[in-house]
Amino acid sequence: SALLELDEVRKIYTTGSVEVAALAGVDLQVHEGEYVAVIGPSGSGKSTLMNIVGCLDVPTDGTYRLAGEDVSTLDEARLADVRNRLIGFVFQQFNLLPSLSAWRNVELPLVYAGVSRDERRARAVAALERVGLGDRAEHRPSELSGGQQQRVAVARALVTDPAMVLADEPTGNLDSRSTADVLALFDELSAMGRTIVLITHEHEVAERAHRRIVVRDGRVVEGNGGPGNSADS
Ligand code: ADP
Ligand code: ADP
């Protein structure tokens, strides 16, 4: 069965008496090991979809099942627990703490997970090695290039061994060389079987994924469904 499955997901924002359907009935399945890109024009609902897929918010209507669990109606505390257990986040703005070294940034999700100090350090260093930054563990973010900072963020996303890596415009702040580095890293993670959901408005970035999901006016208009029906036309 699918790792994540959205069924008729709607998200309505109400401002005064005006209702906006940011998501107007989204059906979506992503299977374990898939690498999918979500693309669509500005205002189409990508961020809203990312927030729901990432368990940062819940739908107004419809169901979202993640790893077999219905997460559509969880309260904030339970949602936070699901996020910490199942999802590794990569953001456009890296979101590293400037005063902490690379490995201290990477170990943070393990602090929240209650992992012992020695194991945290070992796993953080191993995650940095996996992204090619084993020799930068003691560097602070300001001592690293943008591409290296984003790779630290990828290491932080991987350190809990999440069911899915969810990346929101991960190359949006990178030059073309660092973009190539980060995309090569995603290719490697994908080749090792990691499930990746990548939100982007850059077509060259989306091209690297195995499947493209096109969102328009709050609906998935292309690329829905599992690997079996991923025809892109
Ligand atoms: P995208 O990420 O593709 O640019 P969004 O998910 O941010 O799209 O927005 C989809 C639609 O929902 C837009 O019309 C946007 O104005 C509206 N929207 C998003 N967030 C809010 C909010 N918090 N309150 C009201 N309207 C919102
Ligand atoms: P963008 O740069 O694409 O606008 P952001 O990085 O601002 O995206 O964040 C996208 C969503 O994720 C927002 O709803 C934001 O509140 C949430 N978010 C940002 N940083 C974190 C974080 N470190 N942990 C959890 N949620 C976050």
Side-chain angles (χ1 to χ4, degrees), residues 47 50-51 56 83 89 91-93 95 168-169:
S47 299
M50 139 102 192
N51 286 342
L56 295 159
R83 278 201 299 277
F89 290 94
F91 297 101
Q92 180 170 357
Q93 312 289 350
N95 291 2
D168 187 11
E169 301 283 1

Side-chain angles (χ1 to χ4, degrees), residues 13-15 20-22 40-49:
Y13 291 112
T14 307
T15 314
V20 174
S42 179
S44 59
K46 296 186 301 298
S47 299
T48 305
L49 183 59

Side-chain angles (χ1 to χ4, degrees), residues 106-144:
V106 172
E107 74 160 352
L108 278 179
L110 299 177
V111 174
Y112 302 126
V115 174
S116 76
R117 202 190 143 84
D118 285 351
E119 190 184 336
R120 289 201 308 264
R121 183 176 173 115
R123 284 171 64 179
V125 170
L128 282 169
E129 282 167 358
R130 253 183 289 163
V131 302
L133 290 176
D135 58 344
R136 296 288 191 278
E138 301 293 347
H139 287 58
R140 290 190 186 182
S142 61
E143 299 168 322
L144 299 170

Side-chain angles (χ1 to χ4, degrees), residues 10 12-13 21 24 26 64 86 119 123 129 133-134 136 139 164 168 185 199 224:
R10 292 161 55 77
I12 313 291
Y13 291 112
V26 167
Y64 174 27
L86 297 179
E119 190 184 336
R123 284 171 64 179
E129 282 167 358
L133 290 176
R136 296 288 191 278
H139 287 58
M164 140 175 75
D168 187 11
L185 179 56
I199 288 113
N224 183 26

Side-chain angles (χ1 to χ4, degrees), residues 47-69:
S47 299
T48 305
L49 183 59
M50 139 102 192
N51 286 342
I52 289 174
V53 166
C55 295
L56 295 159
D57 201 354
V58 292
T60 310
D61 285 301
T63 54
Y64 174 27
R65 298 180 68 81
L66 175 60
E69 189 177 348

